[in-house]
Amino acid sequence: MAYEAGSYDVIVIGAGHAGVEAGLASARIGAKTLMVTINLDMVAFMPCNPSIGGPAKGIVVREIDALGGEMGKNIDKTYIQMRMLNTGKGPAVRALRAQADKFTYQHEMKKTLENQENLTLLQGMVESLIVEDGECRGIITQTGATYYAKSVVITTGTFLRGEIILGELKYSSGPNNQQPSIKLSEHLEALGFDMVRFKTGTPPRVNSHSIDYSKTEIQPGDDVPRAFSYETTKYITEQLPCWLTYTNEKTHTLIDNNLHRSPMYSGMIKGTGPRYCPSIEDKVVRFNDKPRHQIFLEPEGRNTQEVYVQGLSTSLPEDVQQDILRTIPGLENVQMMRAGYAIEYDSIVPTQLWPTLETKKVKNLYTAGQINGTSGYEEAAGQGLMAGMNAGLHSLGREQVILSRSDGYIGVLIDDLVTKGTNEPYRLLTSRAEYRLLLRHDNADLRLTEIGYNVGMISEERYQKFLSKKQQIEEEIMRLKKIILKPNAEVQGLIQSLGGSELKDGIRASDLLKRPEMSYAHIEQLAKATSELDDEVKEQVEIQIKYEGYIEKSLQQVDRLKKMENKKIPNQIDYDDINGLASEARQKLKSVRPLSLAQASRISGVNPADISILLVYLEQGRIAKVANE
């Protein structure tokens, strides 16, 4: 029996990594928000690897934090290990990665949601949307409860018509044997959304007591205190190690001999899997020249013996999984606690979205996370934050936010999805960003804090600290550009000790810092700062001076792109009216409906000649408009 249960500014469907960020963002900017999820015990659950960060993804977490999101703060409170990757390389590829205590991560996130002003948590199964005159007005749950809202955000992850596949067994289920969402998926199809079937998987979990760690290599965390969030001041000092081992010829032979029992090769799995996170059977087939593959043994938490076998994602039958594990050094007598499995689920084709993540087909309806065809907690959280922020802004009658590709990896991620689409679960990589020297781990706050503050997600206190940091960086760079270091005994002695060539004349401190052997600490020794600067300020000063030339080139590229971004394409444009467009370009432009010439140029199938024709058409329209005025 249907009944009216309440009215909100924003409703978020789902409470995974996209859902929690969407709900918090919406509530934090002042929108009255309802978050509905199938099971409140599964808030921010990690069905796959219990880790946050890594290349590109770690920078996304920093960006989420710079905008006022929660993922960075939550992992800083709950990690069991933290490491900075690629420390021997340049700042553009450095990335933080944390191993999470998956249970504490969930509990802390749920506590944050429960204590958030303007946010109501509700357990329920959403079966359909209320859509009137092409606009989403609310939701209807399985119990008949009707909730109205000005905006709705769908963040259903892998639950839409989810099916688990394990060997020859296939059954309807969400991840980790949770109840799947079937009717909502059917409802989206009925509304006319193009859907695709994707697949992801997870490895077995084993009992730590049954592992012989003496046959594996220890992988400890960093000794230096590190954090994702700019607001973290307390650091976890007691870390747990992970362990490294390898597959071998025995493992690969066993997999080869059982490929006929693999759902991937028997045809049972229809969905497309992630290219950059293949199953072990896929790795063995595709890379048959490799004698071994890395296997990381990662604890799932401080108060459990379950260990995640990273690198062994599989949907092979349970008995084969057990045999495979026992071919690996250290796991000869291992006890498997949970078998790995594959999961198939429905996603919507993301070119049906505007860059705000609002759907083109239904107004006031937003989608975020794996429903948009992505993989990974971080990608989901970044989208969730933007969808929740924009749904909240829209419901309050305020201007929505679109991040550009030069603003952050979140901007790259969303632009790739809505402009190019994806034919497999999308994973964010540093190579996808053309401005990656600008989109670094260290400068996410400098890029995005202003935006977070302007929408109301960053507190006044934090913003003032940020402005102070920014000013200190600028002042110290200017100071080092003015100081001339003379070739005296102290300067020459330090340069000599570092293996550099001695000075023949005086040099600006900033120019000396550009030398590869020099660090800010060395310059500080020679040109002492008048006040004690924070380590983050020193890091920025060093990076901005050392890479000044490269950064300047990247900024010039961004300026050129902005000219194209500023050439807006009217939404009502009729591409059939434009003579000379290639038929593929016409079809793609009509489907994506780009907002600017720059976005149009990134659509696959639209070539430079089509862009030139489009530019002429737009200019003629402007000339005609001016003439009429």
Side-chain angles (χ1 to χ4, degrees), residues 29 66-68 389 448-459:
I29 62 173
L67 288 163
M389 182 196 292
L448 298 169
T449 303
E450 194 85 41
I451 295 170
Y453 174 71
N454 288 337
V455 297
M457 288 176 59
I458 296 288
S459 70

Side-chain angles (χ1 to χ4, degrees), residues 67-285:
L67 288 163
E70 197 62 28
M71 182 174 259
K73 292 185 187 70
N74 206 59
I75 187 63
D76 287 351
K77 288 188 274 186
T78 59
Y79 67 85
I80 56 176
Q81 185 189 101
M82 186 83 82
R83 293 176 75 187
M84 181 67 84
L85 309 180
N86 301 327
T87 49
K89 297 180 181 177
V93 290
R94 285 176 208 155
L96 202 53
R97 183 183 186 272
Q99 204 62 34
D101 184 317
K102 79 189 255 185
F103 308 104
T104 316
Y105 186 93
Q106 276 182 269
H107 296 151
E108 281 296 321
M109 190 65 89
K110 185 162 181 268
K111 194 195 295 181
T112 301
L113 294 169
E114 289 169 343
N115 292 328
Q116 177 61 50
E117 193 183 349
N118 295 326
L119 183 62
T120 302
L121 270 178
L122 176 73
Q123 182 164 297
M125 170 77 78
V126 177
E127 293 199 331
S128 62
L129 307 170
I130 301 165
V131 178
E132 296 166 359
D133 303 323
E135 293 187 10
C136 188
R137 304 275 170 84
I139 61 165
I140 301 170
T141 70
Q142 193 177 43
T143 59
T146 302
Y147 295 90
Y148 290 94
K150 295 170 188 170
S151 302
V152 173
V153 186
I154 305 179
T155 67
T156 43
T158 59
F159 280 80
L160 284 186
R161 262 198 302 230
E163 285 185 307
I164 281 181
I165 301 142
L166 172 54
E168 285 129 29
L169 176 67
K170 186 173 188 175
Y171 57 94
S172 180
S173 175
N176 205 42
N177 287 334
Q178 290 298 301
Q179 193 179 351
S181 174
I182 295 167
K183 289 196 174 173
L184 182 59
S185 189
E186 291 169 351
H187 179 66
L188 290 171
E189 270 187 334
L191 287 171
F193 284 99
D194 291 333
M195 312 287 283
V196 286
R197 197 86 174 140
F198 279 164
K199 164 252 167 191
T200 187
T202 187
R205 272 67 156 183
V206 298
N207 191 318
S208 180
H209 289 316
S210 63
I211 298 171
D212 182 353
Y213 287 108
S214 68
K215 295 181 179 177
T216 67
E217 300 167 33
I218 193 166
Q219 304 283 298
D222 289 348
D223 294 332
V224 184
R226 301 194 189 277
F228 277 102
S229 174
Y230 288 94
E231 293 192 273
T232 295
T233 53
K234 290 181 182 173
Y235 301 91
I236 294 168
T237 51
E238 190 194 334
Q239 298 190 54
L240 300 183
C242 296
W243 307 83
L244 174 63
T245 182
Y246 297 89
T247 62
N248 51 53
E249 198 180 326
K250 224 170 164 183
T251 319
H252 299 182
T253 302
L254 185 58
I255 291 167
D256 280 331
N257 291 343
N258 283 280
L259 280 179
H260 64 286
R261 297 184 68 194
S262 164
M264 281 190 63
Y265 292 92
S266 68
M268 188 182 279
I269 290 176
K270 308 287 184 198
T272 308
R275 185 189 319 186
Y276 300 102
C277 188
S279 65
I280 187 63
E281 50 267 45
D282 204 17
K283 279 194 266 191
V284 167
V285 171

